[in-house]
């Protein structure tokens, strides 16, 4: 029995060869073209290379799709974990600062206070506990930073256009909120615009509030940095291009500089409008 | 096959299927095939091979004796999105292209769609057993441009694919091994490690086209 990729593959079905190309192994190469002809898998060398070509093309394209699918799931988990770490660290910090205030004279507020406490040399059993507790909070903050670094490194390969346009962290958040790059790519831009504002949207549908103009994309400079009266247009423009970016990333993966230039132009127009009015 | 015999004469040292032809008033290396990365293409379908974007192109441009003749079987490690391997497939025979990052392989697939003899493999070059069931033995030319730590080890591990009279054509990027060390020291270490499996034929700095890169031609011991 040979280890060849074509061993056990159906000569007329490139898919079966593709699976073998992806999962097979051999301790050493051999004269596969000759073996394939001897085994009757291929009529001659030319036929062998044609079959090899179909199988490797199919194998590579499946493997790429699978690896990339897996990557967006990793990003989504990482950004949720980053938010958990941050929220929990803040919670612990509150307790640390409050507790440490009863033991030490000067305690800086917030996360700075926690880092400060964690550095101290405990002298009593109570101090030992509060310093230890502060250390856990600091570890969590470090973990949050590591998660952010991971996202910043991964997002540009998983979703190059989305990461460039939204920044890696917001890109990961959008992917997480949509439930993956593929579902993000399939959402209309109006939905992308309000992703993360589900509560507000629900209230609106119940007739209790006006419709939300933006969800998490509010954190983007293009929205937050635009004057309130124009934020709706800014959010719409940004969401429109973000959903195109998600589609390009999911379906082709090419980096498209033109997309980013178009958005920059559009934003300039929206902001110029405000400047003009201010000049009047 | 070329019908332009005058050009073929001038390119006596270049493999069959690689020619120096005028592009924008300048003689440049070129191969004949579908366009890949926006390189200039002339009216006969020859496309310029940009030595500034290709270490193998730089090795040929600098006149290194690569032993390439055209039509040979090639195992190319570190194919990325296919810039160089597309030119190789234009003049070589069966060309196996290994790359382990999924994103560039997407582009490589497009390059392979246009070429019957280019076989893309999403595999890790440090683990040759994961593609030894696909890549044939007796390969004429092993091209390596992985730009990663442990480049010499990868070359040694992939020695098994090469025919006894085959060639290793390798580009070593000093900064991939150690960003702080002197390039010359890095190159010495790489050459010393290669020595266990290869006999060195020629080396040349590729700096005119690629800073801190060494081009190596070797054959199996
Ligand atoms: C300098 S680029 C190659 C450029 C390409 N040879 C060209 O000229 O068109 C190096 C490539 O090697 C790939 N690479 C690094 N380590 C690898 C490994 N262990 N297995 C396969 N590919 C690897 C990288 O992902 C990257 O795409």
């Amino acid at each position: 029995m040979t280890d060849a990729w074509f061993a056990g593959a159906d000569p007329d079905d490139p898919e079966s060869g593709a699976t073998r190309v992806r999962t097979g192994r051999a301790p050493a190469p051999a004269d596969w073209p000759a073996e394939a002809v001897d085994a009757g898998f291929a009529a001659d060398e030319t036929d062998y290379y044609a079959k090899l070509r179909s199988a490797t093309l199919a194998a590579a394209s499946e493997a790429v799709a699978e690896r990339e699918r897996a990557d967006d799931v990793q990003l989504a988990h990482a950004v949720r974990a980053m938010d958990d770490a941050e929220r929990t660290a803040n919670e612990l910090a509150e307790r640390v600062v409050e507790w440490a205030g009863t033991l030490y004279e000067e305690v800086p507020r917030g996360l700075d206070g926690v880092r400060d406490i964690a550095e101290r040399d405990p002298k009593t059993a109570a101090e030992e506990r509060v310093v230890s507790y502060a250390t856990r909070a600091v570890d969590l903050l470090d973990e949050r930073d590591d998660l952010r670094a991971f996202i910043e490194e991964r997002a540009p390969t998983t979703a190059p256009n989305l990461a460039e346009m939204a920044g890696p962290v917001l890109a990961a958040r959008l992917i997480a909120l949509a439930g993956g790059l593929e579902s993000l790519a399939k959402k209309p831009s109006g939905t992308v615009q309000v992703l993360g504002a589900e509560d507000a949207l629900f209230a609106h549908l119940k007739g209790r509030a006006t419709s939300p103009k933006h969800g998490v994309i509010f954190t983007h400079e293009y929205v937050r940095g635009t004057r309130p009266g124009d934020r709706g247009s800014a959010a719409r423009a940004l969401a429109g291009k973000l959903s195109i970016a998600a589609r390009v990333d999911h379906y082709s993966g090419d980096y498209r500089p033109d997309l980013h230039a178009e958005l920059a132009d559009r934003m300039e127009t929206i902001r110029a409008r405000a400047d003009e009015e201010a000049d009047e | 096959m070329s019908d332009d015999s005058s050009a073929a004469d001038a390119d006596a040292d270049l493999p069959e299927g690689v020619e120096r032809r005028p592009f924008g008033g300048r003689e440049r290396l070129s191969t004949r095939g579908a366009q890949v990365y926006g390189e200039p293409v002339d009216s006969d379908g020859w496309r310029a091979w940009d030595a500034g974007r290709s270490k193998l192109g730089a090795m040929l441009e600098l006149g290194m004796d690569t032993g390439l003749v055209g039509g040979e079987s090639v195992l190319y490690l570190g194919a990325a999105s296919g810039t160089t391997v597309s030119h190789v497939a234009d003049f070589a025979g069966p060309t196996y292209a290994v790359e382990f990052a999924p994103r560039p392989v997407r582009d490589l697939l497009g390059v392979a769609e246009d070429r019957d003899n280019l076989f893309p493999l999403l595999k890790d070059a440090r683990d040759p057993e994961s593609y030894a069931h696909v890549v044939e033995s007796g390969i004429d030319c092993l091209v390596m441009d992985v730009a990663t730590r442990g480049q010499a080890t990868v070359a040694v591990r992939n020695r098994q694919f090469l025919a006894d009279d085959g060639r290793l054509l390798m580009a070593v990027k000093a900064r991939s091994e150690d960003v702080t060390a002197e390039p010359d020291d890095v190159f010495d270490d790489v050459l010393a490690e290669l020595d266990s499996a290869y006999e060195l034929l020629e080396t040349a700095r590729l700096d005119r086209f690629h800073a801190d890169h060494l081009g190596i031609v070797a054959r199996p011991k």
Side-chain angles (χ1 to χ4, degrees), chain A residues 3 5 20-22 24-26 29-32 49 53 61 63-64 67-68 157-158 249-254, chain B residues 94 100 102-103 105-107 109 112-113 115-116 119-120 122-123 127 129-130 132-137 160-161:
Chain A
D3 295 308
W5 67 273
R20 289 275 308 135
V21 167
R22 290 184 59 192
R25 293 183 74 81
D31 188 355
W32 305 129
Y49 285 125
R53 177 171 185 269
S61 91
V64 164
R67 287 267 296 275
E68 288 178 348
T157 45
T158 308
D249 287 342
H250 178 69
Y251 294 105
S252 92
D254 293 343
Chain B
F100 78 164
R103 173 73 44 192
V105 171
R106 258 213 239 217
D107 297 334
L109 276 164
E113 296 281 355
R115 290 172 173 78
D116 288 345
F119 313 118
L122 181 67
K123 305 279 183 185
D127 182 18
E129 296 189 357
S130 68
H133 66 304
V134 182
V135 177
E136 63 201 73
S137 55
Q160 56 177 321
F161 293 99

